[in-house]
Amino acid sequence: MSDSAPLAPAGPLVIDIWCELQCPDCRTALDDVRALRARYGDRVDLRLRHFPLEKHKHAFAAAQAAEEAFEQGQGWPYVEAVLGRVEDLDREGEPFLVEVARELGLDAEECDTALVDGRHILIVDADQAEGKAIGVTGTPTYVVEGERLDGGKSQEGLRERVEEIADRLLAASGQDA
């Protein structure tokens, strides 16, 4: 690359959202996710990161099903549908995950097969390992440019803190909020 080549424009600001799809607190956090999406649009990349908790027996399968939904192009709608019905997931388990895929027009049989063959296990395991390595202990937890904001204990003021960091970083990169 020559010295005169223009620098590539900075991509969107990445906000990792460590989430667990059987977690009632993560369901509550959906309003924050929607607000962040509405406020920042394509200037921010909201990335779902999986952190299934042992106390929720269907969380690991739900994370795998969500990855299959992302692969089929409907990740966030799937995540929102599952989180919106946490009680159904508690009660019904994996058949519920396949049913949600069907309701959203995804290939439900492929979703079921993905749960059986475990094709997304490595992604979920890697997210969980990375989360543990950076100090995630509960969900939801947001990470904005290396700054961890834990919403697992309280979500009070969490979105405002995420926005404060995002606004500062976007302003510094010339993408004012």
Side-chain angles (χ1 to χ4, degrees):
M1 183 166 142
S2 73
D3 290 335
S4 62
L7 294 173
L13 174 67
V14 173
I15 299 176
D16 285 330
I17 304 166
W18 299 86
C19 183
E20 198 246 57
L21 298 185
Q22 201 172 346
C23 172
D25 289 336
C26 288
R27 173 175 49 197
T28 303
L30 275 178
D31 287 338
D32 289 340
V33 171
R34 290 181 190 113
L36 291 168
R37 204 179 282 135
R39 178 172 177 150
Y40 297 109
D42 60 4
R43 292 176 298 147
V44 169
D45 180 13
L46 298 171
R47 293 192 319 191
L48 178 72
R49 305 299 300 274
H50 301 288
F51 201 76
L53 303 169
E54 288 182 24
K55 67 182 179 179
H56 294 134
K57 66 182 179 179
H58 304 299
F60 195 81
Q64 293 176 71
E67 280 303 310
E68 180 59 31
F70 274 104
E71 198 164 280
Q72 293 187 35
Q74 292 290 317
W76 279 108
Y78 186 86
V79 166
E80 291 190 24
V82 171
L83 281 173
R85 295 163 56 193
V86 169
E87 298 81 7
D88 292 341
L89 177 56
D90 287 344
R91 191 173 47 256
E92 300 171 34
E94 290 186 22
F96 168 74
L97 297 170
V98 174
E99 180 57 33
V100 170
R102 185 173 290 109
E103 290 170 6
L104 292 175
L106 299 175
D107 184 336
E109 297 311 312
E110 197 61 30
C111 183
D112 189 39
T113 301
L115 290 171
V116 172
D117 70 20
R119 68 183 75 158
H120 302 295
I121 286 176
L122 292 177
I123 293 169
V124 177
D125 281 346
D127 275 0
Q128 193 164 35
E130 183 180 337
K132 286 178 180 175
I134 65 170
V136 174
T137 57
T139 58
T141 295
Y142 297 80
V143 176
V144 186
E145 288 295 310
E147 191 164 341
R148 183 171 34 88
L149 302 165
D150 184 358
K153 292 175 182 58
S154 170
Q155 294 181 56
E156 186 69 34
L158 187 62
R159 182 174 78 217
E160 291 79 10
R161 293 195 314 266
V162 171
E163 289 174 347
E164 183 180 300
I165 296 165
D167 288 347
R168 181 178 29 127
L169 293 169
L170 288 170
S173 71
Q175 299 182 52
D176 289 2

